Amino acid sequence: MKNKLSFIPHFIFIVFLLFGFTSQINAENISSELTGDIIFSDKCNNTEHPVVHAFDNNLDTYFMSCAPFGNWLGLDLKEKYVITKIAYAPRMDLVAGSEYRERLQLAVVEGANAPDFGDAITLFVIPGYTERQLTEQEINCTRGFRYVRIVLPYAQDASKSSYVSELKFYGYKGAGDDSKLPQITNLPTISIHTVNAQDVTSKETYVKGIISFIYADGTKFYKDSVEIRGRGNNSWTHPKKPYRIKLANSTSLMGLPAKARNWTLINNYGDKTLMRNTLAFDFSRRLEMPYTSPAEAVDVVLNGDYKGCYQLCDHIDVRKNRVNIEEMSATDLTGGYMVEIDAYAYVGYDNGPGEIKKFTSSKYSMPVTIKYPGDDEIVLEQEQYIESHFNKLAEAVSGNQYKDAQNGFRKYMDVETFLKHFLVGEYSGNTDTYWSVRMWKSRNDDKFYFGPVWDFDLGFDNDSRTYPINTRYSSDWLCLSSGSSGAGNTQGFVRRLLTDENLKARMKEIYVFYRNKNVISKDILLKVVDDNAKLLNPSQDLNFKRWPIMNKQVHMNPMVHGGYNAEVENVRNYVTNRIDWLDKKLSYTPNAVDNALVTKVGITTEKNIIRLTNLSEPESYKVKIVDICGKTVVEKTCSGDCIFNADGGVYIVVITDNIQQYTFKCLVP
């Protein structure tokens, strides 16, 4: 019996050791109030209300800042700690009423492992008024930090200081990991810290720093060195600035299509829905433009200052999944090129020289910049070539034979991208459609292709010069009206093109095709608006606290609608009425058969078969058959009589010859 039980003392000893070890682990992970050396910015340490008052466990004392922005205070914890909770309190005086409660709104709490907070990430942004008490906030972050701080918010009124009566951090010792990092809202969070917290004040000079991206509900993280500068033309004049960022390494940010170093952060200052670019880009993708930039809504923090809700977009350059044309060497001549008809290219326009104008077209006086190859790469022969070739297009449009299929404008211009670019501008009600037009040309291809679309902050009834679009411009195209803008006489260039009846007929066919596919129906487009409003709602609330303009007319706002939901409803009403207007303008009848096609080609269906006859030989036709879900089931070239197999259902059949495209809908039994 003794032998059988001899293992028991050993077993008890092992259990004791395991229990003790587990208890030690649990003890290490128990959150407690943290202490360390007090650290603070050198902006101000008020002698009457110093930094130590924020850490003295006395709510009746407080730290007082003395600069509009740049004040911060925190702790050097000496070792890494995983932060689980913070607590903060405003100045408690009753004499001032509730006014002090707003002074901590949008303060940014950060954790870092570099003493200059260059690698800091945002742990929390105080979202609103603070109660006159110690407020606790849980932090869901698995990374450990040695340094923690609160950056006091930018003062909307420089005469009003921020105050902190108490600041506490809680956590447990450990380096932790990056399995869960905090986002400010449901949107990805971008944190940028420049060297010595240098502000970004120039569109020409880059400032170096570190950038981090937290996304996918805090489960994914990317960090890189960065250079950042301002960007934009009129948008750069707004208080909320747009930025160009250049990473040290090429990457597909947050899974976006292009692998690149250069990206843009679009500010959308005067767009109180924060979604107008997104809506227009979505429409461009629905029309299957060759390339449309992504537009990912993000929250941005720069040097501890919450800057608001932005859109992370591509920097428009030449590469795969952007403008996908041939890269040039000094010996290449015919392509690829990327150019822009750009009103800002006029030297001396507005707030500075703007873009450097390379030439003005021989006809229609359109100012043109060459975007690719860049100024440091392009050679004189290439400049001369692309200027001459662009002038061939302008002269073909103005010439007597401009409608000729072989020798008119079609020789130098891709009709499909021109018309889709035009329709995006008209759908969105963009008064700047022809203020700036991006175009590209491939090697050994004489045609200029239009796109990508860009810059829609004045679209969707957000321009006092044209509001309300659908009633004020009930007959003519908006982009050709007196309320819209153009670079040089770009509007005259476009108006001339639209005198070609075949071009207008093709525009109708494109519109009918996508309307019948149900990808640009009112229901679908309104759902895009609603989905974006739901996505943006938490971030827009913070954005318009940082930039309190919701009840002000800024930039070209035609009126104040009275809140975010009202701004969104204005866009919903516009979209509904605009599709009705386009239907009427283009004589669209839902699911109507194209009579021109029926006259030219015989179309019959029988069980599992679509039959086309009279496709005149020897000419070849491109035939594309798409099911009701938008999936291409057949795409081939044929002539004469053609038979296609298809399961029972509804199909869109598109037949293209050398000049036109014909679209019809059919039912296969």
Side-chain angles (χ1 to χ4, degrees):
M1 191 70 174
K2 181 179 178 181
N3 291 334
K4 290 183 179 180
L5 298 178
S6 62
F7 74 93
I8 292 179
H10 300 284
F11 175 76
I12 293 173
F13 178 70
I14 292 171
V15 170
F16 176 79
L17 287 177
L18 289 174
F19 178 78
F21 180 68
T22 303
S23 298
Q24 183 180 3
I25 293 175
N26 290 336
E28 288 183 352
N29 289 325
I30 293 176
S31 180
S32 60
E33 184 177 346
L34 304 178
T35 60
D37 292 346
I38 297 174
I39 55 177
F40 53 91
S41 63
D42 59 3
K43 296 281 184 181
C44 171
N45 186 19
N46 189 295
T47 56
E48 185 178 358
H49 305 290
V51 171
V52 293
H53 282 177
F55 300 95
D56 63 0
N57 293 310
N58 185 351
L59 289 175
D60 294 326
T61 62
Y62 54 84
F63 162 71
M64 182 179 113
S65 68
C66 59
F69 182 71
N71 284 275
W72 60 266
L73 56 154
L75 295 175
D76 174 359
L77 303 173
K78 299 298 184 180
E79 297 181 77
K80 291 182 180 181
Y81 285 82
V82 174
I83 306 302
T84 59
K85 184 173 65 175
I86 64 168
Y88 54 90
R91 180 174 170 177
M92 309 295 282
D93 298 24
L94 293 175
V95 177
S98 62
E99 191 268 343
Y100 288 132
R101 295 191 306 141
E102 69 180 15
R103 303 286 182 91
L104 288 180
Q105 179 174 273
L106 302 184
V108 174
V109 180
E110 293 184 319
N113 286 305
D116 64 354
F117 283 83
D119 65 345
I121 67 170
T122 301
L123 299 177
F124 179 63
V125 174
I126 297 177
Y129 287 4
T130 50
E131 296 300 324
R132 195 176 288 105
Q133 63 185 33
L134 190 66
T135 299
E136 294 184 346
Q137 172 65 44
E138 300 292 329
I139 303 296
N140 189 6
C141 181
T142 58
R143 180 190 289 189
F145 302 100
R146 173 174 171 173
Y147 304 96
V148 287
R149 71 177 180 179
I150 184 170
V151 184
L152 300 180
Y154 185 91
Q156 300 288 347
D157 183 343
S159 67
K160 294 183 177 181
S161 297
S162 295
Y163 302 89
V164 181
S165 66
E166 279 301 310
L167 178 63
K168 296 178 182 293
F169 296 92
Y170 301 83
Y172 57 87
K173 187 183 297 185
D177 57 38
D178 288 349
S179 59
K180 180 66 175 178
L181 300 177
Q183 296 176 190
I184 295 173
T185 68
N186 56 309
L187 302 182
T189 295
I190 297 178
S191 293
I192 304 168
H193 289 83
T194 61
V195 175
N196 297 323
Q198 184 179 347
D199 198 9
V200 181
T201 59
S202 169
K203 293 199 301 176
E204 288 76 38
T205 303
Y206 279 102
V207 178
K208 293 183 178 181
I210 296 174
I211 189 169
S212 65
F213 301 80
I214 300 173
Y215 59 105
D217 194 28
T219 62
K220 293 187 177 181
F221 175 76
Y222 181 77
K223 183 178 77 171
D224 201 354
S225 297
V226 70
E227 294 179 74
I228 180 172
R229 64 169 172 84
R231 66 167 307 279
N233 291 298
N234 182 272
S235 59
W236 179 247
T237 68
H238 300 315
K240 181 185 179 185
K241 303 296 185 183
Y243 301 108
R244 164 105 169 257
I245 56 176
K246 182 164 65 175
L247 304 176
N249 300 285
S250 290
T251 189
S252 300
L253 280 182
M254 302 191 306
L256 298 180
K259 185 177 182 181
R261 294 176 61 201
N262 290 285
W263 302 81
T264 61
L265 287 168
I266 307 300
N267 54 340
N268 293 322
Y269 178 71
D271 172 13
K272 294 174 185 174
T273 68
L274 302 171
M275 69 171 74
R276 283 178 163 87
N277 277 312
T278 303
L279 300 181
F281 289 4
D282 172 80
F283 196 81
S284 174
R285 280 188 286 271
R286 290 176 182 278
L287 295 187
E288 300 178 289
M289 286 285 277
Y291 160 62
T292 305
S293 171
E296 293 292 314
V298 295
D299 291 308
V300 175
V301 177
L302 175 60
N303 293 324
D305 181 13
Y306 171 71
K307 291 293 187 180
C309 179
Y310 282 70
Q311 283 171 333
L312 174 67
C313 296
D314 286 349
H315 167 65
I316 306 303
D317 61 6
V318 171
R319 67 183 59 247
K320 183 179 179 181
N321 293 321
R322 287 186 178 171
V323 179
N324 195 9
I325 56 177
E326 302 84 358
E327 294 189 22
M328 296 276 276
S329 69
T331 58
D332 293 322
L333 191 62
T334 66
Y337 291 93
M338 182 167 59
V339 301
E340 181 179 358
I341 304 171
D342 184 5
Y344 285 112
Y346 286 115
V347 175
Y349 180 84
D350 202 9
N351 294 287
E355 299 292 337
I356 299 174
K357 179 177 64 174
K358 287 299 184 181
F359 61 87
T360 299
S361 63
S362 57
K363 301 292 183 180
Y364 302 104
S365 300
M366 295 179 286
V368 180
T369 62
I370 302 174
K371 296 296 187 180
Y372 182 83
D375 289 339
D376 57 344
E377 301 170 311
I378 196 167
V379 298
L380 179 61
E381 291 79 7
Q382 292 169 338
E383 288 188 16
Q384 293 172 337
Y385 170 83
I386 197 62
E387 178 179 359
S388 173
H389 201 75
F390 190 91
N391 282 332
K392 289 178 181 179
L393 167 62
E395 290 162 6
V397 172
S398 67
N400 292 333
Q401 301 299 315
Y402 73 104
K403 297 181 183 180
D404 185 83
Q406 279 72 44
N407 298 309
F409 65 81
R410 288 176 176 81
K411 183 176 180 179
Y412 301 106
M413 187 188 85
D414 177 66
V415 167
E416 297 297 297
T417 53
F418 166 76
L419 291 173
K420 290 178 179 180
H421 181 277
F422 179 89
L423 285 171
V424 173
E426 285 301 314
Y427 162 70
S428 63
N430 186 17
T431 52
D432 285 348
T433 295
Y434 293 106
W435 182 262
S436 170
V437 184
R438 288 168 172 79
M439 305 164 70
W440 46 272
K441 178 192 177 299
S442 290
R443 187 171 300 160
N444 300 322
D445 184 347
D446 281 344
K447 294 182 180 181
F448 283 97
Y449 293 77
F450 283 68
V453 300
W454 195 258
D455 197 6
F456 294 87
D457 62 316
L458 297 182
F460 299 89
D461 253 353
N462 195 34
D463 192 331
S464 58
R465 297 170 297 181
T466 55
Y467 179 90
I469 291 170
N470 293 311
T471 54
R472 192 169 173 182
Y473 299 93
S474 59
S475 57
D476 198 8
W477 296 109
L478 176 71
C479 70
L480 301 180
S481 71
S482 60
S484 291
S485 305
N489 191 22
T490 313
Q491 288 172 306
F493 173 88
V494 175
R495 192 176 289 278
R496 171 76 162 175
L497 289 170
L498 294 183
T499 60
D500 183 340
E501 293 301 323
N502 287 331
L503 190 74
K504 290 194 293 185
R506 179 68 193 124
M507 184 195 299
K508 177 181 176 181
E509 289 168 355
I510 292 172
Y511 184 76
V512 167
F513 175 73
Y514 290 103
R515 281 289 274 124
N516 281 343
K517 279 183 68 176
N518 201 40
V519 297
I520 56 171
S521 68
K522 283 190 284 188
D523 288 345
I524 292 294
L525 296 174
L526 289 175
K527 186 176 187 302
V528 175
V529 176
D530 293 342
D531 288 348
N532 274 280
K534 182 178 180 180
L535 174 72
L536 292 168
N537 193 54
S539 183
Q540 68 80 23
D541 182 62
L542 294 179
N543 182 87
F544 293 112
K545 288 174 180 174
R546 178 64 176 86
W547 309 104
I549 61 170
M550 186 58 77
N551 293 312
K552 300 177 182 178
Q553 285 181 277
V554 298
H555 194 23
M556 302 298 292
N557 293 163
M559 64 182 299
V560 171
H561 292 285
Y564 187 72
N565 291 338
E567 291 285 344
V568 172
E569 189 61 25
N570 173 59
V571 170
R572 294 183 91 262
N573 291 335
Y574 168 83
V575 168
T576 298
N577 294 329
R578 195 61 177 170
I579 292 298
D580 286 341
W581 185 89
L582 285 168
D583 285 352
K584 182 178 179 180
K585 180 72 174 177
L586 294 170
S587 303
Y588 171 72
T589 302
N591 303 323
V593 174
D594 189 323
N595 291 326
L597 177 63
V598 173
T599 301
K600 186 173 182 178
V601 180
I603 306 160
T604 58
T605 60
E606 53 192 87
K607 184 174 177 60
N608 300 126
I609 286 177
I610 298 174
R611 188 187 304 273
L612 305 179
T613 58
N614 298 327
L615 292 172
S616 57
E617 298 185 72
E619 184 178 4
S620 294
Y621 293 79
K622 293 180 181 178
V623 177
K624 184 176 181 179
I625 301 176
V626 181
D627 67 18
I628 196 65
C629 297
K631 179 182 177 182
T632 299
V633 295
V634 172
E635 189 167 16
K636 64 180 295 185
T637 299
C638 65
S639 60
D641 296 345
C642 300
I643 295 176
F644 303 98
N645 295 323
D647 295 334
V650 178
Y651 294 87
I652 303 294
V653 180
V654 182
I655 303 175
T656 307
D657 59 21
N658 290 330
I659 300 176
Q660 299 186 56
Q661 187 175 92
Y662 305 95
T663 305
F664 70 93
K665 191 173 184 179
C666 66
L667 175 64
V668 177

